[in-house]
Amino acid sequence: TQLLEQSPQFLSIQEGENLTVYCNSSSVFSSLQWYRQEPGEGPVLLVTVVTGGEVKKLKRLTFQFGDARKDSSLHITAAQPGDTGLYLCAVQGGSEKLVFGKGTKLTVNP
Amino acid sequence: KAGVTQTPRYLIKTRGQQVTLSCSPISGHRSVSWYQQTPGQGLQFLFEYFSETQRNKGNFPGRFSGRQFSNSRSEMNVSTLELGDSALYLCASSFRTSTYTDTQYFGPGTRLTVL
């Protein structure tokens, strides 16, 4: 059983559209991280959310941590081709061990 | 500050062979973690080294091993390669003490193909 379930698995949209991807679990977490991985590269940390209900914004990206700290969402406004990549959520699974969801592969077409 | 570097970037091996991958962490980072990424299983934790000691290990067979040197550089070794070992192997480094854990920074990975 996967600790973190991400949906959708694949998403292909046109430039300028909005989208939301989800990261869900039945477990409670003290914090949750979102990464973006571009082809041929390693994941890059976008944000860490810590408080239940917390909303963080990074330019056109809005991250929300669920009130119960079991789930999180990432909303992208007016997507651009540069947003293309694999979006991963992750939680700490014990000292230095990150546990990742399987990711949402986003393609933004010009 | 230079990022995490991994060598080689691409590697092709045949079943039964062994392979060694190298990771140089960000200067000043003493913790190095290794992950395996496959389309089916996603990113999975292999092990973590801190101050030349393995501190944490994932659920992988003993064919997967690693070590860390005094300059914090790390290597991982996979012996008796199987087709299923084909994956992107990622290394991540972080500044870590016994009571504090910082963000992990990932390298670009080594793409291993086993034929």
Side-chain angles (χ1 to χ4, degrees), chain B residues 60-99:
Chain B
F60 279 82
R63 300 186 296 107
F64 292 82
S65 63
R67 58 177 175 168
Q68 187 179 35
F69 303 95
S70 59
N71 62 358
S72 293
R73 190 177 70 84
S74 177
E75 290 181 346
M76 68 162 282
N77 184 275
V78 188
S79 62
T80 317
L81 285 166
E82 300 177 359
L83 294 179
D85 297 333
S86 294
L88 181 67
Y89 289 88
L90 291 159
C91 163
S93 76
S94 65
F95 179 79
R96 180 195 194 282
T97 68
S98 59
T99 57

Side-chain angles (χ1 to χ4, degrees), chain A residues 37 40 42 95-96 98 102, chain B residues 9 37 40 56 94 96 101 104:
Chain A
Q37 183 177 18
S95 175
E96 297 302 309
L98 286 171
K102 290 193 176 181
Chain B
R9 291 294 308 276
Q37 186 174 30
N56 207 346
S94 65
R96 180 195 194 282
T101 301
Q104 291 191 34

